[in-house]
């Protein structure tokens, strides 16, 4: 069996590595011979390869660094070989001529090391214990970040050292030391300029506030803002969607909301919002919330750092999850660590009871899913015939599979076993418009899922190339204008080299009314987006826009897996189907996963797709409509009062519990304080010389 060929990226990395090694070898040979043309050519190839690596092959740089052959070593070696070549040309007294130039070159590298040391110090002064967004933190003496050249040693050495290297190269053909002297002098000037710029930033009046000053400012801000309810989130970069889905419900609450994060990078992963955001990486800083007015923290996910904030006794904690499904992860035993668990409807309450994970029924509160207020209800039957290209209408099918999960269960996602079959069956129907929206973590655990996802995308692109149809009245100009407007509202204008502190400066307190403007712009953008698409063209949707719920509103049918997607889609009461890749018989599958009760179950071969489409196009054949209405009530709770009202009521009730607890705690402390302030009592009576109690002890 022939060995598989290396992938193009791996092959390119290998070629770049070999080319750089060959260039250094050729430069060494040329310097020792000496051979001026070869020396010039090898050095030029070496410099060009460095530029290619820094522009397109960063992985090779990491490989060299692990081999202790980082940019500094390579640059010193390159210049050293040039000096050796120059010294071997001509007469024996050349050492005297080039000695000052070698000294200047060494001075340049000393300055390079000094700049690197100062850049580390500057970075430390700009690493604050609290990172903010949507908060005016100008009192902390925030400032723009230093130039990227001063912070990145590789780029800096290439740019600052290039004049010296070029001067040495220019000196070789004609044996003209003046060129080398000019190049080294220019490199020294550049290095001294960079060193001075960093030294200025370390002056007392130029550096940002110190740690204690920042913490004092943070305490004062908490006292002034007086937050009451917060969203606590910690996780990886790809998990930010779990917090983002709760931003709008949080913003609509009565009280002063706050978002508490633990990872610095997560500050920029949170979607557009006017809610103040604070990132508290250290546990000691996090504990300062204990003395604030914060009463409730809402947790959309579990993480290793969740246990740290649960230690704060003055705050009540509730787990809301980032979606509900029949998976075991929806009733994690960790949930019993919270004061309350908020679920959408009765089904989740029953799920916790059956799971026996330690969550008591009295601590479960049904609040509905406030995010689903934007999902439009079922509007069938449509006017006129539907479902065929000949009658001018397409059946829009949303295929939104979940990811493979951490446990390796083949039933988690349909992408691997059924995805391609489902997509082929849908694309074979000329009256179907497919919206494919895979989970953002697809392929992150199982490479087979990632490979299947890529094949599905190619199937869709091929189908679009074959499909020709009339376009709708284009809204391209409007969409471009609305995209620009929306991006202006939700995107901060950062410089390419902006660091966390500079982003704090740019993302200060938002202008009044920005949240309402974002909501209007988002709604207008979504309308223009759907109107701009060619009629019947299949779509691969992987960007943040359009959002999943916007896809719900334009879809006639959902095909998904056992996940929170089907629970949320039930808010519309539209037909849905679930792919059964678990290996269980259909009846056992329905029994194991109650959210499938009102679904059409599809086998991995997708044989049931034509019949499913028939029921969608002809509502009189839809026998599951009543079951969907009943299941919606079980999963999401009643429609009245609205979920946002129930969510707000639950927040206010838990806030009241927190206030009562603080009041009782204050009373106990007040009762204990007088006793603690009295002079200490003797535990042993005073005795006389005979060892008997003194008379004073008998009174």
């Amino acid at each position: 069996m022939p060995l598989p060929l290396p992938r193009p990226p791996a092959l390119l990395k290998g070629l770049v590595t070999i080319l750089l090694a060959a260039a250094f070898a050729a430069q060494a040979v040329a310097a020792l011979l000496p051979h001026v043309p070869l020396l010039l050519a090898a050095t030029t190839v070496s410099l060009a390869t460095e530029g290619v690596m820094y522009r397109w092959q960063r992985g090779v740089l990491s490989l060299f660094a692990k081999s202790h052959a980082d940019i500094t070593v390579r640059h010193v070696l390159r210049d050293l070989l040039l000096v050796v070549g120059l010294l071997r040309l001509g007469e024996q007294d050349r050492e005297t001529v080039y000695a000052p130039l070698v000294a200047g070159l060494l001075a340049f590298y000393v300055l390079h090391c000094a700049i690197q040391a100062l850049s580390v110090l500057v970075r430390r002064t700009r690493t604050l214990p609290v990172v903010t967004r949507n908060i005016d933190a100008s009192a902390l003496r925030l400032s723009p970040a230093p130039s990227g050249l001063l912070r990145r040693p590789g780029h800096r050495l290439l740019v600052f050292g290039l004049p010296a290297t070029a001067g040495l190269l220019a000196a070789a053909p004609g044996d003209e030391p003046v060129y080398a002297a000019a190049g080294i002098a220019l490199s020294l000037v550049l290095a001294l300029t960079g060193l001075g710029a960093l030294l200025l930033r370390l002056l007392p009046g130029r550096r940002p506030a110190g740690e204690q000053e920042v913490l004092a400012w943070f305490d004062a801000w908490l006292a002034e803002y007086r937050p009451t309810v917060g969203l606590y989130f910690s996780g990886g970069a790809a998990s930010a969607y779990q917090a983002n889905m709760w931003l709008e419900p949080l913003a609509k609450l009565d009280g002063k909301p706050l978002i508490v994060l633990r990872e610095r990078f997560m500050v920029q992963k949170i979607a557009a919002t006017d809610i103040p955001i604070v990132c508290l990486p250290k546990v000691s800083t996090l504990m300062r919330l204990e003395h604030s007015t914060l009463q409730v923290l809402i947790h959309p996910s579990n993480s290793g750092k969740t246990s740290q904030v649960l230690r704060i006794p003055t705050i009540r904690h509730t787990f809301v999850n980032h979606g509900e499904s029949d998976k075991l992860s929806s009733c994690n035993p960790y949930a019993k660590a919270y004061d309350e668990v908020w679920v959408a409807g009765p089904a989740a309450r029953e799920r916790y009871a059956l799971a026996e994970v330690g969550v008591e029924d009295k601590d479960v509160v049904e609040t509905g899913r406030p995010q689903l207020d934007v999902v439009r209800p079922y509007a069938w039957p449509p006017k006129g015939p539907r479902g065929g290209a000949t009658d001018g209408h397409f059946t829009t099918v949303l295929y939104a599979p979940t990811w493979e999960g951490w446990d390796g269960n083949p039933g988690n996602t349909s992408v691997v076993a059924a995805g391609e079959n489902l997509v082929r069956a849908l694309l074979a129907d000329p009256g179907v418009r497919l919206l494919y929206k895979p989970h953002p973590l697809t392929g992150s655990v199982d490479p087979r899922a990632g490979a299947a996802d890529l094949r599905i995308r190619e199937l869709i692109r091929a189908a679009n190339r074959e499909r020709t149809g009339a376009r709708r009245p284009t809204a391209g100009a409007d969409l471009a204008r609305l995209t620009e407007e929306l991006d202006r509202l939700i995107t901060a204008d950062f410089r390419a080299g902006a660091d966390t502190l500079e982003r704090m400066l740019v993302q200060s307190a938002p202008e009044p009314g920005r949240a309402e403007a974002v909501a209007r712009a988002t709604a207008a953008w979504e309308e223009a987006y759907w109107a701009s698409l060619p009629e019947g063209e299949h779509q691969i949707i992987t960007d943040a826009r359009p959002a999943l719920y916007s896809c719900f509103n334009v879809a006639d049918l959902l095909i998904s897996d056992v996940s929170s997607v089907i629970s949320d889609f039930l808010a519309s009461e539209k037909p849905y189907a679930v792919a059964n890749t678990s290996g269980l018989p259909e009846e056992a599958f329905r029994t194991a996963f109650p959210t499938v009760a009102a679904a059409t179950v599809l086998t991995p071969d997708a044989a049931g797709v034509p019949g499913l489409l028939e029921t969608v196009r002809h509502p009189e054949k839809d026998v599951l409509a009543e079951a969907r209405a009943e299941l919606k009530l079980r999963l999401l709770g009643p429609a009245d009062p609205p979920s946002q009202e129930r969510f707000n009521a639950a927040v206010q009730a838990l806030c009241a519990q927190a206030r009562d607890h603080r009041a009782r705690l204050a009373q106990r402390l007040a009762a204990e304080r007088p006793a603690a302030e009295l002079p200490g009592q003797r535990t042993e009576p005073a005795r006389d010389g005979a060892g008997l109690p003194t008379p004073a002890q008998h009174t």
Side-chain angles (χ1 to χ4, degrees):
M1 181 178 179
L3 294 174
L5 293 175
R7 293 178 297 177
L11 181 61
L12 186 58
K13 288 180 181 179
L15 289 175
V16 169
T17 304
I18 293 172
L19 182 61
L20 186 62
F24 273 114
Q27 190 181 9
V29 171
L32 294 174
L33 286 178
H35 191 282
V36 174
L38 181 60
L39 184 65
L40 294 175
T43 306
T44 303
V45 170
S46 175
L47 286 171
T49 306
E50 291 279 3
V52 169
M53 288 194 301
Y54 271 90
R55 182 64 179 86
W56 293 291
Q57 293 293 321
R58 296 294 182 89
V60 180
L61 294 174
S62 176
L63 178 64
F64 276 115
K66 291 178 181 178
S67 304
H68 299 286
D70 60 9
I71 179 62
T72 303
V73 173
R74 297 195 302 273
H75 209 83
V76 169
L77 178 60
R78 188 180 298 114
D79 287 349
L80 176 64
L81 290 174
L82 283 174
V83 170
V84 170
L86 289 172
L87 291 176
R88 288 183 60 79
L89 292 171
E91 303 298 330
Q92 295 296 322
D93 62 349
R94 297 175 61 80
E95 290 85 352
T96 304
V97 176
Y98 281 95
L101 301 181
V102 173
L105 192 62
L106 292 175
F108 166 74
Y109 282 108
V110 170
L111 288 175
H112 166 71
C113 295
I115 292 173
Q116 182 59 23
L118 284 179
S119 70
V120 172
L121 291 177
V122 170
R123 184 173 68 247
R124 289 179 178 176
T125 64
R126 297 179 64 83
T127 304
L128 305 186
V130 178
V131 180
T132 66
R133 184 176 139 193
N134 298 336
I135 298 174
D136 182 3
S138 57
L140 302 180
R141 299 190 297 278
L142 307 180
S143 62
S147 168
L149 283 177
L150 300 179
R151 291 183 287 145
R152 303 187 184 105
H155 291 77
R156 180 177 66 247
L157 193 55
L158 280 176
V159 174
F160 286 7
L162 184 60
T165 304
L168 292 171
L169 271 177
D175 192 17
E176 295 288 346
V178 65
Y179 295 127
I184 293 172
L186 181 55
S187 289
L188 286 171
V189 170
L190 291 174
L192 287 170
T193 302
L195 189 69
L198 291 176
L199 284 171
L200 286 175
R201 288 180 172 272
L202 291 176
L203 294 176
R206 299 287 299 274
R207 67 175 65 185
E211 180 174 357
Q212 294 306 315
E213 187 178 352
V214 173
L215 294 178
W217 170 87
F218 179 57
D219 291 340
W221 180 84
L222 286 173
E224 179 183 0
Y225 180 67
R226 300 188 62 80
T228 55
V229 57
L231 181 77
Y232 178 90
F233 189 73
S234 171
S239 64
Y241 72 94
Q242 300 172 358
N244 287 334
M245 67 172 59
W246 287 99
L247 296 182
E248 188 171 348
L250 184 69
K252 294 179 179 178
L253 291 173
D254 296 334
K256 292 289 192 70
L258 176 67
I259 297 173
V260 180
L261 306 175
R262 301 302 307 282
E263 292 81 19
R264 297 176 188 272
F265 67 83
M266 190 61 69
V267 174
Q268 300 306 320
K269 296 294 182 180
I270 299 299
T273 180
D274 284 0
I275 302 172
I277 299 174
V278 295
C279 176
L280 312 174
K282 294 182 180 179
V283 178
S284 58
T285 310
L286 180 70
M287 291 298 115
R288 304 180 91 86
L289 296 177
E290 179 177 356
H291 305 291
S292 71
T293 57
L294 193 62
Q295 299 162 11
V296 168
L297 277 177
I298 298 171
H299 299 258
S301 68
N302 299 310
S303 73
K305 296 180 181 179
T306 301
S307 61
Q308 298 171 349
V309 75
L310 293 178
R311 293 160 51 188
I312 300 179
T314 57
I315 298 176
R316 285 291 185 260
H317 303 269
T318 180
F319 181 60
V320 296
N321 213 334
H322 51 274
E324 294 183 7
S325 70
D326 292 321
K327 294 179 182 178
L328 293 177
S329 58
S330 288
C331 46
N332 193 312
Y334 196 92
K336 63 176 174 284
Y338 302 94
D339 296 293
E340 290 185 354
V341 175
W342 294 354
V343 298
R349 179 187 294 275
E350 297 168 9
R351 190 182 300 120
Y352 273 108
L354 292 173
E356 298 181 352
V357 293
V359 176
E360 299 185 26
D361 187 71
K362 65 179 180 62
D363 296 327
V364 178
V365 179
E366 297 175 26
T367 63
R369 289 273 287 168
Q371 301 91 338
L372 302 181
D373 290 348
V374 300
V375 177
R376 294 196 291 266
Y378 200 17
W380 281 88
K383 296 180 180 179
R386 186 180 183 86
T390 57
D391 54 39
H393 295 281
F394 287 88
T395 302
T396 299
V397 181
L398 172 62
Y399 178 39
T402 190
W403 68 304
E404 57 269 26
W406 299 112
D407 57 6
N409 189 329
N412 285 343
T413 179
S414 60
V415 169
V416 177
E420 291 173 84
N421 293 333
L422 290 170
V423 169
R424 284 194 183 95
L426 292 168
L427 296 178
D429 190 313
V432 165
R433 176 179 68 155
L434 175 61
L435 308 180
Y436 175 55
K437 189 172 178 62
H439 193 285
L441 295 180
T442 298
S444 60
V445 173
D446 189 346
R448 296 177 303 165
D453 171 57
L454 294 177
R455 291 193 297 269
I456 289 172
R457 298 187 191 200
E458 185 52 40
L459 285 173
I460 295 172
R461 294 188 188 101
N464 277 335
R465 288 193 292 267
E466 295 177 2
R467 173 171 285 184
T468 57
R471 294 181 63 90
R472 297 175 183 172
T474 180
D478 287 342
L479 181 62
R481 177 181 56 80
L482 292 170
T483 300
E484 183 179 351
E485 178 183 349
L486 184 55
D487 287 342
R488 179 180 56 80
L489 289 170
I490 68 175
T491 306
D493 187 15
F494 296 135
R495 293 188 307 119
D499 61 0
T500 300
L501 194 142
E502 183 175 340
R503 292 188 178 101
M504 287 176 59
L505 177 64
V506 175
Q507 294 176 309
S508 187
E511 298 178 1
R514 189 187 67 167
E516 292 79 5
V518 169
R520 291 192 301 270
T522 301
W525 182 91
E526 289 177 348
E527 183 178 356
Y529 171 81
W530 296 115
S532 69
L533 299 179
E535 187 172 27
E537 183 180 82
H538 310 297
Q539 300 297 320
I540 302 170
I541 302 173
T542 56
D543 294 334
R545 299 196 300 258
L548 178 63
Y549 298 154
S550 179
C551 297
F552 284 0
N553 288 332
V554 300
D556 302 307
L557 166 69
L558 168 72
I559 299 178
S560 188
D561 306 321
V562 176
S563 70
S564 61
V565 172
I566 58 177
S567 301
D568 289 353
F569 189 75
L570 271 168
S572 69
E573 296 189 31
K574 295 176 182 178
Y576 71 102
V578 179
N580 178 12
T581 56
S582 65
L584 296 172
E586 181 174 331
E587 289 305 316
F589 183 65
R590 291 183 182 274
T591 301
F593 304 107
T595 52
V596 184
T600 298
V601 177
L602 297 174
T603 53
D605 61 5
V609 168
L612 171 64
L613 293 172
E614 186 70 11
T615 62
V616 174
R617 290 163 176 164
H618 301 279
E620 67 277 6
K621 298 181 181 181
D622 182 8
V623 297
L624 294 172
E626 185 175 343
R628 289 197 299 273
E630 294 176 357
L631 185 59
K632 173 187 174 182
L633 187 62
R634 287 193 63 241
L635 292 178
L636 304 177
D640 191 32
S643 180
Q644 182 66 39
E645 291 186 19
R646 287 183 281 153
F647 181 63
N648 185 63
V651 169
Q652 301 311 317
L654 198 55
C655 284
Q657 290 185 29
R659 291 194 297 269
D660 291 344
H661 171 72
R662 292 188 182 193
R664 292 192 301 271
L665 182 62
Q667 290 176 357
R668 287 198 300 270
L669 291 175
E672 294 171 359
R673 189 174 295 112
E677 292 174 354
L678 290 175
Q681 301 293 317
R682 285 182 179 270
T683 56
E684 292 290 333
R687 299 180 182 274
D688 60 14
L692 298 174
T694 60
Q697 295 297 324
H698 293 284
T699 59

